Every structure is written in structure tokens, then in C-alpha cells.
Amino acid sequence: MFTAYPMIVETVARAGFDSVTLDAQHGFATFETIAEGVAAAALAGKPAMVRLPLGGFALGARALDVGAAGLVAPMIDTAADARAFVDAVKYPPVGRRSWGPVRAMGLTGLSRDAYLATANDLTLALAMIETETALRNVEEILAVDGLDGLLIGPNDLSVSLSAGAAVDPAHPGVVAALAKISAAAKRVGKPVAIFANTSAFASDYVRRGFPMIALGPDLAFLSAGAERALSDVFDA
Ligand code: 3PY
Ligand code: MG
């Protein structure tokens, strides 16, 4: 979600999605609005994920502390990038996450010991694969212990594969990459999610078997609803 205003997060969370993702890379999410957004999603009974800014792993650990259910790290190009991400957001022995999940314990109702024992499994760390370099290194990235899965960014991937010529998630190189990434992830038993710009792309990704699809952004829902409301009045 681009907007991080709690009422909008709650409204989208109530629309039937399994979870919402607050975007601190391109959207307006900050630590304060992540804290509010996680609570707003919880009111709707839904988990909230957070997409981090580039290299913003410290924000990721703080987002988990206030109850985010998972994190999406953009532009992970190498196993070392993935390792740095995991180090910041998973507790030992997997990573080096620092202790302080006061709000997360409140939201989950877990005691300190229970939270420490389960947090690494209960919180998702997903690495975005969205460059030609990441595509080349996808097997090494997937092999990083503690990394739970991948999320494909087809827009950036198309920009990278076309050497900056186009933003086109239907680019043949991107379509070929979907199969390559999915096959590599299947071999190690990790899930692959994907971002869909439109419902048509999302339907295609459902047909291709992606278990998790990030459909959005919320501003597109708002503008589609506004346009339809107007056309229902004047074009009917
Ligand atoms: C991409 O497609 O590049 C994304 O990051 C989706 O948000
Ligand atoms: Mg991207």
C-alpha cells in the first residue's frame, strides 16, 4: 500500500485480502505509520507485511518489533545482500536481530520465551528478485539460511532486462524469468510471491501457480473506483 493512513489500511484489509503490505520503499510508510498500520490491519484480523526502503534492514527489525508479520526487502542482488537482511531480522542462531518486541508480544499474546522461540518461524523474510544480477544469483540467494522466500518485482526486472528501455511486466525476458525463479525455489522448498500491477496480471500469476500475489497499489484501487463511480453517473 502506498498510503499508510490507518483507516485506508483497515479498509483494504477488510476487502478480503489475506494480508496487506505497507510500502516504505516507494510508498509513504514510515516507522510511525507502520506501527499504526499494523494495528489497523490487526483490527481487521489481517497480518501486515512491510516493504523496506533500499537496505533499510534496521527499519525491518523495528517493524517486526511493532508487530509486522513479515518483511519484503527490495533489490536483493546477491547472497551477501540476503545474508545482511536475514542477520537484521532473525534472532540467533539464524541471525542477529536485537531483542525488543514489546508491541509484537502484545499483538500476538505470546510470552517473552514463546515469542523468542517462535518469532523466526512466525515472521516472513522475503527477498525481492528484480534485477538481471539477482536472476543470475537466484540459487545462491535462495540458499541463504533464514531467508523464507522470494518476491518477484516484474517492473524493475523488466527495466533491468531491457537495459532501461521499458517498464513492461509482460517483457519476454520477465516471463522466462518467472519459470526460472519458480523452479529454483521449488528445488529448495521456498515459496515465491510476485507483485501484480493489475488484476489481469494477478489472474495470470494465479494460473502460473504463484502461492502469494501482491496486487496493487491501493492508489490504483482508489482511482479505478473513482473513475467507475463517475462513469456510472454519466456514461450509463
Ligand atoms: C516491481 O515490480 O519492481 C516492484 O517493486 C513492485 O512493487
Ligand atoms: Mg521494484
Side-chain angles (χ1 to χ4, degrees):
M1 298 193 49
F2 262 56
T3 43
Y5 186 70
M7 190 71 216
I8 297 182
V9 174
E10 186 183 337
T11 302
V12 172
R14 286 193 193 284
F17 293 102
D18 295 322
S19 68
V20 292
T21 301
L22 311 175
D23 189 3
Q25 185 193 15
H26 296 296
F28 295 99
T30 60
F31 177 65
E32 284 71 23
T33 56
I34 288 168
E36 290 171 354
V38 165
L43 275 180
K46 298 294 167 63
M49 309 266 297
V50 174
R51 176 161 68 169
L52 305 175
L54 278 184
F57 306 145
L59 178 65
R62 296 188 77 196
L64 295 182
D65 284 347
V66 294
L71 304 170
V72 175
M75 295 283 186
I76 297 293
D77 274 355
T78 63
D81 291 346
R83 187 70 252 159
F85 172 39
V86 167
D87 272 351
V89 303
K90 298 284 185 183
Y91 289 119
V94 178
R96 305 172 56 243
R97 178 179 168 191
S98 167
W99 180 256
V102 177
R103 169 66 151 346
M105 288 189 295
L107 282 178
T108 56
L110 293 171
S111 66
R112 281 195 310 187
D113 288 351
Y115 185 82
L116 180 60
T118 55
N120 283 356
D121 292 332
L122 291 182
T123 55
L124 272 183
L126 302 182
M128 288 197 76
I129 300 297
E130 47 185 351
T131 66
E132 196 171 5
T133 310
L135 198 54
R136 230 181 5 256
N137 293 329
V138 72
E139 265 142 16
E140 289 87 338
I141 292 171
L142 276 163
V144 170
D145 184 34
L147 186 78
D148 296 302
L150 305 177
L151 193 151
I152 300 172
N155 296 294
D156 272 311
L157 192 53
S158 69
V159 171
S160 175
L161 291 175
S162 69
V167 188
D168 175 15
H171 182 287
V174 173
V175 176
L178 303 186
K180 176 183 165 174
I181 296 167
S182 298
K186 198 168 171 190
R187 283 196 289 278
V188 295
K190 292 188 178 181
V192 183
I194 187 163
F195 177 82
N197 289 354
T198 64
S199 301
F201 275 111
S203 303
D204 179 49
Y205 299 148
V206 169
R207 276 193 297 275
R208 289 174 191 272
F210 284 96
M212 199 170 151
I213 296 161
L215 173 62
D218 52 319
L219 288 186
F221 304 154
L222 190 61
S223 84
E227 282 167 19
R228 199 178 51 247
L230 260 186
S231 77
D232 284 352
V233 174
F234 292 108
D235 304 338

PDB file of all heavy atoms in Angstrom, residues 69-85:
ATOM      1  N   ALA A  69       4.080  -8.840  10.345  1.00  0.00           N
ATOM      2  CA  ALA A  69       4.136 -10.293  10.224  1.00  0.00           C
ATOM      3  C   ALA A  69       5.213 -10.736   9.252  1.00  0.00           C
ATOM      4  O   ALA A  69       5.566 -11.917   9.202  1.00  0.00           O
ATOM      5  CB  ALA A  69       2.787 -10.820   9.758  1.00  0.00           C
ATOM      6  N   GLY A  70       5.711  -9.793   8.463  1.00  0.00           N
ATOM      7  CA  GLY A  70       6.736 -10.169   7.501  1.00  0.00           C
ATOM      8  C   GLY A  70       7.331  -8.943   6.840  1.00  0.00           C
ATOM      9  O   GLY A  70       6.804  -7.834   6.958  1.00  0.00           O
ATOM     10  N   LEU A  71       8.451  -9.171   6.166  1.00  0.00           N
ATOM     11  CA  LEU A  71       9.203  -8.082   5.541  1.00  0.00           C
ATOM     12  C   LEU A  71       9.554  -8.454   4.115  1.00  0.00           C
ATOM     13  O   LEU A  71       9.821  -9.619   3.816  1.00  0.00           O
ATOM     14  CB  LEU A  71      10.504  -7.844   6.317  1.00  0.00           C
ATOM     15  CG  LEU A  71      10.336  -7.545   7.813  1.00  0.00           C
ATOM     16  CD1 LEU A  71      11.692  -7.581   8.503  1.00  0.00           C
ATOM     17  CD2 LEU A  71       9.661  -6.182   8.024  1.00  0.00           C
ATOM     18  N   VAL A  72       9.572  -7.427   3.281  1.00  0.00           N
ATOM     19  CA  VAL A  72       9.973  -7.593   1.890  1.00  0.00           C
ATOM     20  C   VAL A  72      11.151  -6.652   1.670  1.00  0.00           C
ATOM     21  O   VAL A  72      11.016  -5.439   1.871  1.00  0.00           O
ATOM     22  CB  VAL A  72       8.809  -7.214   0.949  1.00  0.00           C
ATOM     23  CG1 VAL A  72       9.265  -7.276  -0.498  1.00  0.00           C
ATOM     24  CG2 VAL A  72       7.602  -8.113   1.183  1.00  0.00           C
ATOM     25  N   ALA A  73      12.299  -7.208   1.287  1.00  0.00           N
ATOM     26  CA  ALA A  73      13.491  -6.381   1.064  1.00  0.00           C
ATOM     27  C   ALA A  73      13.704  -6.218  -0.441  1.00  0.00           C
ATOM     28  O   ALA A  73      13.885  -7.217  -1.145  1.00  0.00           O
ATOM     29  CB  ALA A  73      14.718  -7.024   1.701  1.00  0.00           C
ATOM     30  N   PRO A  74      13.652  -4.976  -0.950  1.00  0.00           N
ATOM     31  CA  PRO A  74      13.795  -4.778  -2.395  1.00  0.00           C
ATOM     32  C   PRO A  74      15.236  -4.925  -2.860  1.00  0.00           C
ATOM     33  O   PRO A  74      16.176  -4.810  -2.067  1.00  0.00           O
ATOM     34  CB  PRO A  74      13.304  -3.335  -2.593  1.00  0.00           C
ATOM     35  CG  PRO A  74      13.579  -2.648  -1.309  1.00  0.00           C
ATOM     36  CD  PRO A  74      13.441  -3.713  -0.226  1.00  0.00           C
ATOM     37  N   MET A  75      15.396  -5.178  -4.160  1.00  0.00           N
ATOM     38  CA  MET A  75      16.698  -5.129  -4.835  1.00  0.00           C
ATOM     39  C   MET A  75      17.764  -5.987  -4.142  1.00  0.00           C
ATOM     40  O   MET A  75      18.895  -5.549  -3.940  1.00  0.00           O
ATOM     41  CB  MET A  75      17.192  -3.683  -4.917  1.00  0.00           C
ATOM     42  CG  MET A  75      16.328  -2.809  -5.787  1.00  0.00           C
ATOM     43  SD  MET A  75      16.673  -3.131  -7.540  1.00  0.00           S
ATOM     44  CE  MET A  75      15.688  -1.874  -8.337  1.00  0.00           C
ATOM     45  N   ILE A  76      17.395  -7.207  -3.754  1.00  0.00           N
ATOM     46  CA  ILE A  76      18.395  -8.131  -3.203  1.00  0.00           C
ATOM     47  C   ILE A  76      19.083  -8.794  -4.398  1.00  0.00           C
ATOM     48  O   ILE A  76      18.455  -9.555  -5.138  1.00  0.00           O
ATOM     49  CB  ILE A  76      17.717  -9.161  -2.275  1.00  0.00           C
ATOM     50  CG1 ILE A  76      17.079  -8.474  -1.069  1.00  0.00           C
ATOM     51  CG2 ILE A  76      18.709 -10.242  -1.848  1.00  0.00           C
ATOM     52  CD1 ILE A  76      18.030  -7.822  -0.080  1.00  0.00           C
ATOM     53  N   ASP A  77      20.353  -8.483  -4.578  1.00  0.00           N
ATOM     54  CA  ASP A  77      21.066  -8.928  -5.781  1.00  0.00           C
ATOM     55  C   ASP A  77      21.996 -10.107  -5.549  1.00  0.00           C
ATOM     56  O   ASP A  77      22.369 -10.796  -6.504  1.00  0.00           O
ATOM     57  CB  ASP A  77      21.905  -7.770  -6.334  1.00  0.00           C
ATOM     58  CG  ASP A  77      21.085  -6.885  -7.260  1.00  0.00           C
ATOM     59  OD1 ASP A  77      19.919  -7.233  -7.540  1.00  0.00           O
ATOM     60  OD2 ASP A  77      21.615  -5.842  -7.701  1.00  0.00           O
ATOM     61  N   THR A  78      22.432 -10.270  -4.291  1.00  0.00           N
ATOM     62  CA  THR A  78      23.444 -11.299  -4.017  1.00  0.00           C
ATOM     63  C   THR A  78      23.100 -12.025  -2.725  1.00  0.00           C
ATOM     64  O   THR A  78      22.292 -11.543  -1.918  1.00  0.00           O
ATOM     65  CB  THR A  78      24.841 -10.655  -3.821  1.00  0.00           C
ATOM     66  OG1 THR A  78      24.773  -9.805  -2.664  1.00  0.00           O
ATOM     67  CG2 THR A  78      25.279  -9.844  -5.023  1.00  0.00           C
ATOM     68  N   ALA A  79      23.780 -13.152  -2.515  1.00  0.00           N
ATOM     69  CA  ALA A  79      23.611 -13.877  -1.255  1.00  0.00           C
ATOM     70  C   ALA A  79      24.054 -12.994  -0.090  1.00  0.00           C
ATOM     71  O   ALA A  79      23.474 -13.057   0.993  1.00  0.00           O
ATOM     72  CB  ALA A  79      24.412 -15.175  -1.293  1.00  0.00           C
ATOM     73  N   ALA A  80      25.060 -12.162  -0.309  1.00  0.00           N
ATOM     74  CA  ALA A  80      25.517 -11.275   0.781  1.00  0.00           C
ATOM     75  C   ALA A  80      24.427 -10.272   1.150  1.00  0.00           C
ATOM     76  O   ALA A  80      24.212  -9.990   2.340  1.00  0.00           O
ATOM     77  CB  ALA A  80      26.800 -10.546   0.358  1.00  0.00           C
ATOM     78  N   ASP A  81      23.712  -9.748   0.149  1.00  0.00           N
ATOM     79  CA  ASP A  81      22.577  -8.850   0.446  1.00  0.00           C
ATOM     80  C   ASP A  81      21.542  -9.592   1.291  1.00  0.00           C
ATOM     81  O   ASP A  81      21.023  -9.063   2.283  1.00  0.00           O
ATOM     82  CB  ASP A  81      21.862  -8.411  -0.840  1.00  0.00           C
ATOM     83  CG  ASP A  81      22.689  -7.487  -1.720  1.00  0.00           C
ATOM     84  OD1 ASP A  81      23.710  -6.964  -1.236  1.00  0.00           O
ATOM     85  OD2 ASP A  81      22.286  -7.306  -2.889  1.00  0.00           O
ATOM     86  N   ALA A  82      21.228 -10.813   0.866  1.00  0.00           N
ATOM     87  CA  ALA A  82      20.199 -11.589   1.563  1.00  0.00           C
ATOM     88  C   ALA A  82      20.652 -11.914   2.982  1.00  0.00           C
ATOM     89  O   ALA A  82      19.871 -11.872   3.929  1.00  0.00           O
ATOM     90  CB  ALA A  82      19.898 -12.873   0.788  1.00  0.00           C
ATOM     91  N   ARG A  83      21.942 -12.208   3.118  1.00  0.00           N
ATOM     92  CA  ARG A  83      22.506 -12.535   4.446  1.00  0.00           C
ATOM     93  C   ARG A  83      22.379 -11.327   5.387  1.00  0.00           C
ATOM     94  O   ARG A  83      22.003 -11.456   6.557  1.00  0.00           O
ATOM     95  CB  ARG A  83      23.971 -12.938   4.256  1.00  0.00           C
ATOM     96  CG  ARG A  83      24.722 -13.475   5.431  1.00  0.00           C
ATOM     97  CD  ARG A  83      24.247 -14.845   5.857  1.00  0.00           C
ATOM     98  NE  ARG A  83      23.524 -14.731   7.116  1.00  0.00           N
ATOM     99  CZ  ARG A  83      22.647 -15.618   7.582  1.00  0.00           C
ATOM    100  NH1 ARG A  83      22.366 -16.709   6.900  1.00  0.00           N
ATOM    101  NH2 ARG A  83      22.041 -15.427   8.715  1.00  0.00           N
ATOM    102  N   ALA A  84      22.681 -10.141   4.868  1.00  0.00           N
ATOM    103  CA  ALA A  84      22.601  -8.928   5.705  1.00  0.00           C
ATOM    104  C   ALA A  84      21.156  -8.692   6.152  1.00  0.00           C
ATOM    105  O   ALA A  84      20.897  -8.286   7.294  1.00  0.00           O
ATOM    106  CB  ALA A  84      23.128  -7.721   4.922  1.00  0.00           C
ATOM    107  N   PHE A  85      20.223  -8.950   5.250  1.00  0.00           N
ATOM    108  CA  PHE A  85      18.799  -8.797   5.564  1.00  0.00           C
ATOM    109  C   PHE A  85      18.409  -9.769   6.688  1.00  0.00           C
ATOM    110  O   PHE A  85      17.861  -9.370   7.726  1.00  0.00           O
ATOM    111  CB  PHE A  85      18.010  -9.060   4.275  1.00  0.00           C
ATOM    112  CG  PHE A  85      16.523  -9.140   4.400  1.00  0.00           C
ATOM    113  CD1 PHE A  85      15.817  -8.294   5.247  1.00  0.00           C
ATOM    114  CD2 PHE A  85      15.801 -10.059   3.632  1.00  0.00           C
ATOM    115  CE1 PHE A  85      14.425  -8.374   5.336  1.00  0.00           C
ATOM    116  CE2 PHE A  85      14.420 -10.140   3.714  1.00  0.00           C
ATOM    117  CZ  PHE A  85      13.730  -9.300   4.580  1.00  0.00           C
TER     118      PHE A  85
END
